[in-house]
Amino acid sequence: MAVLPSSARVVIIGGGISGCSVAYHLAKLGWTDIVLLERKKLTSGTTWHAAGLVGQLRASQNMTRLAKYSADLYRTLEAETGLATGLRQCGSITVALSAERQEELRRQAAMARVFGVEVNELSPSDILSLYPHLNMKDVVSGVHLPGDGQADPGNIALALAKGARMLGAQIVEGVIVNEVTQADGRVTGVTWQQGEETGTIATGHVVNCGGMWGRDLAARNGVTLPLHACEHFYIVTESIPGLAQLPVLRVPDECAYYKEDAGKILLGAFEPKAKPWGMNGIPADFCFDQLPEDFDHFEPILEAAVNRMPILAEAGIHTFFNGPESFTPDDRYYLGEAPELTGYWVAAGYNSIGIVSSGGAGMALAQWMNDGEPPFDLWEVDIRRAQPFQKNRRYLQERVTETLGLLYADHFPYRQMATSRGIRRSPLHEHLKARGAVFGEVAGWERANWFADEGQTAQYEYTWGRPNWFQNSRAEHMALRETVGLLDMTSFGKIRVEGRDALIFLQRMCANQMDVAIGRIVYTQMLNERGGIECDLTVTRMSETAFFLVVPGATLQRDLAWLRRHLGDEFVVITDVTAAEAVLPLMGPNARDLLSAISPADLSNDVHPFGTAREIEVGMTLARAHRVTYVGELGWELYIPTDQAAHVFEALVAAGADHGLKLCGLHAMDSCRIEKGYRHFGHDITDEDHVLEAGLGFAVKTDKGTFIGREAVLRKRENGLARRMLQFRLTDPEPLLFHNEPILRDGVIVGYLTSGNYGHALCGAVGLGYVPCRHAGETVKEMLTSTYQIDVAGRMVGAEASLSPLYDPKSQRIRV
Ligand SMILES: Cc1cc2nc3c(=O)[nH]c(=O)nc-3n(C[C@H](O)[C@H](O)[C@H](O)COP(=O)(O)OP(=O)(O)OC[C@H]3O[C@@H](n4cnc5c(N)ncnc54)[C@H](O)[C@@H]3O)c2cc1C
C-alpha cells in the first residue's frame, strides 16, 4: 500500500499517456507535490494497445505544432529517462484513389509547407518505389511525410511517468479517485480508495485524464466532458517473409492504415460506421482488457486491404484486436479548465490520436495551469467549446458512430455531421425548412447555410470544386449587396450583464468605451494581458445598469466563463439569455424600405443612426432593432422574443416580395463578411492575436482608463506591429479558397489564410491572413508594394492585397 499525502498542489486522475504527460510537464515547470492516481496499472486503459502512429500534420498550425512537439519529445525521452519509446522515424505515405482525395492531399501538402512539415508529393511510380507491395490499381497520387513515425505507446507513457518521478512527482497505481470535492465553485480535493482503505487529498487543482472514464467522473461535479467510447479495431499478421522496413501507409479511401513492425503488418480500420461501447458506463474492473472480436464488422476493410496489398492474402492473422477509445462530437480532444468549476482541468477524449497528441497536449496544459492562460491559441481543443446538452449520452452514442470514421473520410469543405442533429433549433426552423433551407450545425444549433431553389434537391453534394449550392449562395450574396436579404442568427449567444457595477465591470473587461448613451451599440473585444483577443462582441447599453452582449454562438460558454472568472467584488449579475430571443438580420440597400413597410418607426439616419438600438413596432408586435451589420450593408438585426419571431418573419416575408427580399444563409453571410474584411473569432482572431495586429485598433480606447490588455496595447503601439492582417482577392476568378492556404510574398511563404470564401461582388475568391512585417516599423505601403500569391493546392495564384476592405473601403453603404 502506498502512503498518500493529505494534500497536494495537483492531483492528476488517470495514468494513461495523457496523465503521465501532464505530470511530466508540470514537474518540468518546477511544480512540486504532484500526485498522479491510477485506478489499476499505468497504461491499462486505452494507451497500452494503441497502434502507435505518430503523424505530425494536423488540421491547423497549432495542432501541428503540438504533434511535432510530441514527436521531438518521444525522440529524446530515452536519453533522459533510460526508457526507450521505440520511436522510429519511418515516414508515412497517404495515397489517393480519387481525384477528390487527390485535391485534399494537395491542399494538405500546401498546409504542410506553411506549417513547416517536410512533405513530398508522389506519383504512382514514386509510391511504388517507397512501398513495393501495393496493388496500384486506382491509385492516383500520394504524399510522403518523411518526418512521421511510429512508436511504442505503452513505453512512451512509462518513460513520461519515469521522467515525472525523477523530478519528484508521486505516481501511484491501484488508487481510484471516487470523487472530486468542491466548495464555493472551486475544487478542494479528492476522495480516494486503495483496496479497502479510503482517504482524501486536499488540493486546488485536479486534472481529469480519465480517458473513457472521464465523462462520468466529470459529470459528478456538473462538469461537461462529452465523450463516448467506441470499439476500435486492428489486426496483426504473422511474420511475412522478406518484409523490409516500410513507412506507415494510409489508404483513407479504403478506411485503412498499415504499419510494418518486426516483419508483420498491423492493419487498422476507421470504418464509416463505428460501434459505440460502454453505454452503461465503463466496467470498474477493466484493466488491459480487450473487447470481443467482430470479424463481420472488420471484413470489408480486410477484403479491400487484401486487394490493396496482395501479400496479406498469404499471411496468417496473429492477432485480432478490438479495444475501446474515447471519441468526441467534433473529433477534437479537450484541454483546459472546465468553465463550471475553478481548478478542474481536463486532458481527455483523444479520438484515436492520443499517442501523437499527448506529448504536446501535456506540455500545453501544464503551461496553461502554470500561467493561468494557454501558451497559444488552443480554441480548437478548448473544453469551453463543449455545450451543456452534450452530456446527453444518447446524443454522444449516436454521434460517435460517425466521428470515428470521419478521421479517414474525405474532409470536404463545409462537410456537415450527419448524426445527432436537430438538437437546438430556432423558432423559425420549420419556416426556413419549408422554403428550402439546407442546414449546418454549430454548437448543436441548426442554422440555414443556404436555400435550395424550387425543384432543386435541398442537400449538400460535397466537393472540392464549385459545390451544388454555389449559384444559390451567389444569388443570396448579391441580394444582400443589391436588394435585401433576411438571415436567421438566433444562434448568437446573448448575455445580460446588469447590476449596480455593470459599467465598471465591463469597462475593465472590454477594450472599447462602454460608458455610452443608453441605446448605443459598441463593437469591442475582451483582451487578455497579452493584448490577445479573448472575445469579439457587441455590447448594447440597455439602461444605466444593464448591458446586452452578443457573441458568436460557438463561443458562448467560453465568453460566459471569461466574464465570470473575472468578476471580483463588483455587484453584477451575468445571465445567459440566448434562448429568450430570436435574431433576424435584415440587410441590404432595400432594408429600410422593407422594414418601413411593416413598421411605423422612423428608421432614418437621424432618428435611428448606425450603432444604435431601439424598440420598434413590427407587424403587430415589437422588436428591438439593432442597427449593425456583419455583411457590410445598410440593415437592422431584429431581436424578437422567441414566441413572436414567427409573426415577424411572416410579416417580413409577406412584404418582402415588393422589395426583392431573399432568404439568405450563413454561407452568404460568410462570403459577404470576408469581402468586407470583418474578422471571425476562432479563425482570424484568437487569444494569440494582438488586437492591433488584427487591425482592430479602432475599437480600442486606451484613454478611457484601465482595462485588461491596455498595457499590452500601449507596448505594441510603442514597439510597432510585427505583422498585419491583410485581405486578399485572387486575380483568377476560378479557384476557391477555404482557409489555411499558404500566402506567398514575393515568392516566399510568409503565412496562411485564416478565412476564405468566394467574393461574389468582387468576382473572385477572397481571404484574410496575417503577413509578418519584414522589419520593425514596416509601413503598409511597403507591404503592399510586394507581389502576393496564394498556394491553392500547389497552384500559385496571383492575389491583390489590401489593408482596408476591397469591398466598400469607406463603409459608405452601411450609413446610407
Ligand atoms: C486500437 C487503437 C489504436 C490506436 N492507435 C493510435 C495511434 O496509432 N496513434 C495515436 O496517436 N493514438 C492511437 N490510439 C489512441 C490512443 O491509444 C488514445 O488516444 C490514448 O491512449 C488515450 O490516452 P488517455 O491517457 O487519454 O486514456 P487511457 O490510456 O485510457 O488512460 C486513462 C486512465 O485513467 C484511469 N482512470 C480512469 N478513471 C480513474 C479514476 N477515477 N481514478 C484513477 N484512475 C482512473 C484509467 O484506469 C486509465 O488508465 C489508438 C487507440 C486504439 C483503441
Side-chain angles (χ1 to χ4, degrees):
M1 286 278 190
V3 178
L4 294 175
S6 58
S7 68
R9 184 161 178 202
V10 55
V11 175
I12 298 162
I13 307 167
I17 191 165
S18 180
C20 294
S21 179
V22 173
Y24 172 83
H25 285 96
L26 282 172
K28 279 265 163 191
L29 288 174
W31 279 43
T32 52
D33 302 319
I34 299 168
V35 177
L36 183 154
L37 301 179
E38 163 54 46
R39 48 185 273 289
K40 296 283 183 191
K41 291 275 177 205
L42 293 182
T43 78
S44 65
T46 296
T47 298
W48 70 279
H49 56 58
L53 311 190
V54 182
Q56 298 177 57
L57 183 61
R58 311 250 63 102
S60 72
Q61 185 170 41
N62 284 350
M63 290 303 108
T64 303
R65 195 163 160 182
L66 293 185
K68 278 172 78 176
Y69 172 91
S70 297
D72 291 343
L73 174 68
Y74 303 161
R75 205 169 292 124
T76 55
L77 266 182
E78 182 175 359
E80 187 182 332
T81 64
L83 276 184
T85 60
L87 185 80
R88 181 153 70 83
Q89 199 177 327
C90 53
S92 78
I93 299 172
T94 305
V95 301
L97 303 184
S98 70
E100 293 283 22
R101 183 71 75 173
Q102 181 178 39
E103 174 77 7
E104 179 178 330
L105 294 189
R106 283 186 174 154
R107 285 185 177 258
Q108 278 177 3
M111 263 167 56
R113 284 191 284 274
V114 74
F115 298 162
V117 175
E118 190 186 348
V119 62
N120 306 309
E121 294 184 44
L122 303 177
S123 67
S125 61
D126 298 332
I127 296 170
L128 206 55
S129 65
L130 284 168
Y131 214 103
H133 310 280
L134 277 195
N135 168 1
M136 296 301 290
K137 186 168 179 305
D138 304 327
V139 173
V140 182
S141 67
V143 289
H144 180 216
L145 298 169
D148 279 1
Q150 58 191 53
D152 178 340
N155 279 352
I156 297 173
L158 295 178
L160 288 165
K162 185 167 178 201
R165 279 185 173 127
M166 284 161 63
L167 294 165
Q170 189 177 1
I171 296 182
V172 190
E173 294 177 311
V175 182
I176 187 165
V177 171
N178 283 326
E179 197 194 342
V180 174
T181 53
Q182 65 182 87
D184 301 328
R186 296 195 66 92
V187 164
T188 56
V190 300
T191 66
W192 54 259
Q193 184 172 357
Q194 186 178 199
E196 296 302 306
E197 198 188 332
T198 58
T200 59
I201 300 175
T203 184
H205 295 284
V206 297
V207 192
N208 183 334
C209 297
M212 59 192 167
W213 290 265
R215 181 197 66 213
D216 293 349
L217 183 67
R220 282 182 230 160
N221 292 89
V223 168
T224 309
L225 181 54
L227 52 83
H228 198 295
C230 263
E231 302 186 26
H232 195 22
F233 301 88
Y234 59 70
I235 57 156
V236 184
T237 65
E238 303 283 3
S239 286
I240 300 175
L243 204 63
Q245 273 200 359
L246 289 168
V248 167
L249 172 72
R250 294 187 181 83
V251 189
D253 294 308
E254 293 172 345
C255 312
Y257 64 88
Y258 302 73
K259 177 185 120 171
E260 179 277 325
D261 197 7
K264 301 169 182 168
I265 291 286
L266 182 154
L267 164 67
F270 284 98
E271 66 279 18
K273 193 163 185 333
K275 290 174 73 184
W277 182 76
M279 268 70 89
N280 300 317
I282 308 300
D285 57 354
F286 189 99
C287 179
F288 295 116
D289 281 352
Q290 303 187 26
L291 307 179
E293 290 178 15
D294 184 344
F295 193 73
D296 289 348
H297 189 75
F298 194 77
E299 197 177 11
I301 310 289
L302 183 58
E303 208 175 287
V306 169
N307 170 55
R308 188 59 52 204
M309 203 189 293
I311 46 167
L312 290 181
E314 310 300 320
I317 295 179
H318 177 272
T319 309
F320 189 114
F321 189 82
N322 177 9
E325 157 72 334
S326 39
F327 288 83
T328 66
D330 58 6
D331 256 341
R332 290 185 263 132
Y333 54 89
Y334 297 112
L335 278 192
E337 189 175 24
E340 298 94 341
L341 186 55
T342 303
Y344 199 109
W345 299 85
V346 167
Y350 282 101
N351 300 290
S352 190
I353 55 160
I355 305 307
V356 60
S357 304
S358 283
M363 175 273 287
L365 188 77
Q367 203 69 54
W368 194 339
M369 294 174 69
N370 193 60
D371 302 345
E373 56 188 4
F376 38 79
D377 168 39
L378 292 170
W379 174 232
E380 262 167 280
V381 290
D382 194 318
I383 182 66
R384 292 172 295 176
R385 77 186 188 282
Q387 302 298 318
F389 84 86
Q390 291 178 319
K391 283 198 196 92
N392 183 294
R393 285 170 295 175
R394 206 178 127 213
Y395 162 86
L396 291 169
Q397 184 191 329
E398 241 180 70
R399 173 57 65 83
V400 297
T401 60
E402 181 182 9
T403 51
L404 181 145
L406 280 183
L407 283 149
Y408 276 26
D410 286 279
H411 299 110
F412 287 121
Y414 309 104
R415 185 173 182 136
Q416 301 296 326
M417 295 291 179
T419 54
S420 295
R421 294 288 300 267
I423 318 289
R424 303 175 81 185
R425 293 185 229 176
S426 140
L428 302 171
H429 185 87
E430 292 304 319
H431 271 294
L432 303 181
K433 196 170 155 191
R435 289 165 175 81
V438 181
F439 295 92
E441 186 234 290
V442 167
W445 279 104
E446 294 294 333
R447 310 194 303 179
N449 278 347
W450 58 280
F451 287 82
D453 294 332
E454 247 181 72
Q456 184 183 6
T457 309
Q459 92 189 19
Y460 279 99
E461 285 163 27
Y462 297 120
T463 172
W464 287 95
R466 293 199 173 195
N468 62 324
W469 49 268
F470 189 80
Q471 290 305 335
N472 304 71
S473 203
R474 176 186 159 74
E476 294 166 25
H477 185 115
M478 295 317 291
L480 289 163
R481 295 280 182 247
E482 290 172 352
T483 56
V484 58
L486 182 64
L487 298 124
D488 179 2
M489 286 305 298
T490 302
S491 61
F492 274 151
K494 306 162 203 105
I495 305 169
R496 269 183 86 94
V497 175
E498 53 199 323
R500 188 188 63 213
D501 300 331
L503 176 60
I504 297 171
F505 176 59
L506 287 177
Q507 283 287 49
R508 184 159 64 82
M509 298 304 296
C510 298
N512 210 335
Q513 177 59 267
M514 294 293 114
D515 193 4
V516 293
I518 294 166
R520 275 304 302 265
I521 304 169
V522 182
Y523 172 58
T524 187
Q525 285 74 38
M526 294 193 233
L527 305 181
N528 54 36
E529 296 292 357
R530 298 176 292 193
I533 298 165
E534 290 287 340
C535 175
D536 186 54
L537 70 163
T538 61
V539 180
T540 303
R541 189 160 197 179
M542 310 291 275
S543 75
E544 283 297 318
T545 55
F547 294 81
F548 182 78
L549 281 51
V550 178
V551 301
T555 65
L556 175 66
Q557 301 305 325
R558 174 194 177 115
D559 301 331
L560 284 166
W562 182 257
L563 286 165
R564 289 181 175 141
R565 184 177 138 193
H566 287 89
L567 190 58
D569 292 336
E570 290 110 336
F571 190 87
V572 170
V573 177
I574 299 165
T575 315
D576 170 12
V577 293
T578 299
E581 290 183 323
V583 186
L584 293 182
L586 184 69
M587 298 286 150
N590 297 350
R592 182 178 279 131
D593 290 347
L594 171 51
L595 194 52
S596 297
I598 62 161
S599 171
D602 185 343
L603 299 169
S604 65
N605 283 338
D606 289 342
V607 175
H608 200 156
F610 184 76
T612 61
R614 297 165 66 86
E615 187 176 87
I616 62 170
E617 294 172 54
V618 200
M620 287 187 267
T621 186
L622 302 173
R624 211 175 49 257
H626 291 221
R627 185 145 171 220
V628 284
T629 180
Y630 196 46
V631 296
E633 300 293 342
L634 171 73
W636 284 263
E637 286 179 357
L638 302 176
Y639 287 75
I640 310 149
T642 308
D643 54 341
Q644 293 145 57
H647 170 73
V648 174
F649 176 84
E650 286 158 13
L652 281 168
V653 169
D658 297 339
H659 300 87
L661 177 70
K662 194 156 183 57
L663 295 182
C664 298
L666 271 287
H667 291 334
M669 176 184 250
D670 187 56
S671 52
C672 285
R673 72 98 192 159
I674 300 178
E675 271 190 340
K676 196 64 186 76
Y678 292 152
R679 282 48 169 158
H680 184 247
F681 187 88
H683 284 109
D684 314 310
I685 47 178
T686 69
D687 54 14
E688 139 179 18
D689 300 314
H690 195 285
V691 67
L692 298 188
E693 291 173 347
L696 298 173
F698 68 89
V700 179
K701 301 288 183 300
T702 45
D703 54 2
K704 74 167 186 171
T706 58
F707 59 88
I708 301 170
R710 182 172 181 271
E711 300 310 313
V713 170
L714 294 176
R715 267 198 310 278
K716 185 66 81 181
R717 274 195 191 141
E718 190 155 324
N719 298 339
L721 305 186
R723 56 186 193 149
R724 285 195 177 87
M725 170 153 275
L726 299 183
Q727 188 192 38
F728 299 92
R729 184 185 72 94
L730 297 187
T731 47
D732 177 349
E734 203 50 36
L736 302 179
L737 295 173
F738 303 117
H739 84 286
N740 275 347
E741 293 85 355
I743 302 168
L744 287 85
R745 180 178 181 184
D746 298 326
V748 177
I749 293 179
V750 290
Y752 58 94
L753 294 183
T754 49
S755 280
N757 206 321
Y758 200 84
H760 297 282
L762 291 174
C763 304
V766 284
L768 301 171
Y770 290 95
V771 174
C773 299
R774 280 186 174 155
H775 53 82
E778 188 185 28
T779 63
V780 177
K781 202 169 157 205
E782 283 175 283
M783 278 182 133
L784 296 182
T785 49
S786 288
T787 304
Y788 288 92
Q789 290 166 305
I790 306 294
D791 177 345
V792 184
R795 201 184 132 209
M796 305 307 145
V797 185
E800 181 183 355
S802 175
L803 186 73
S804 48
L806 291 164
Y807 182 79
D808 189 22
K810 297 213 160 71
S811 291
Q812 285 155 333
R813 300 176 65 86
I814 294 165
R815 293 182 165 81
V816 289

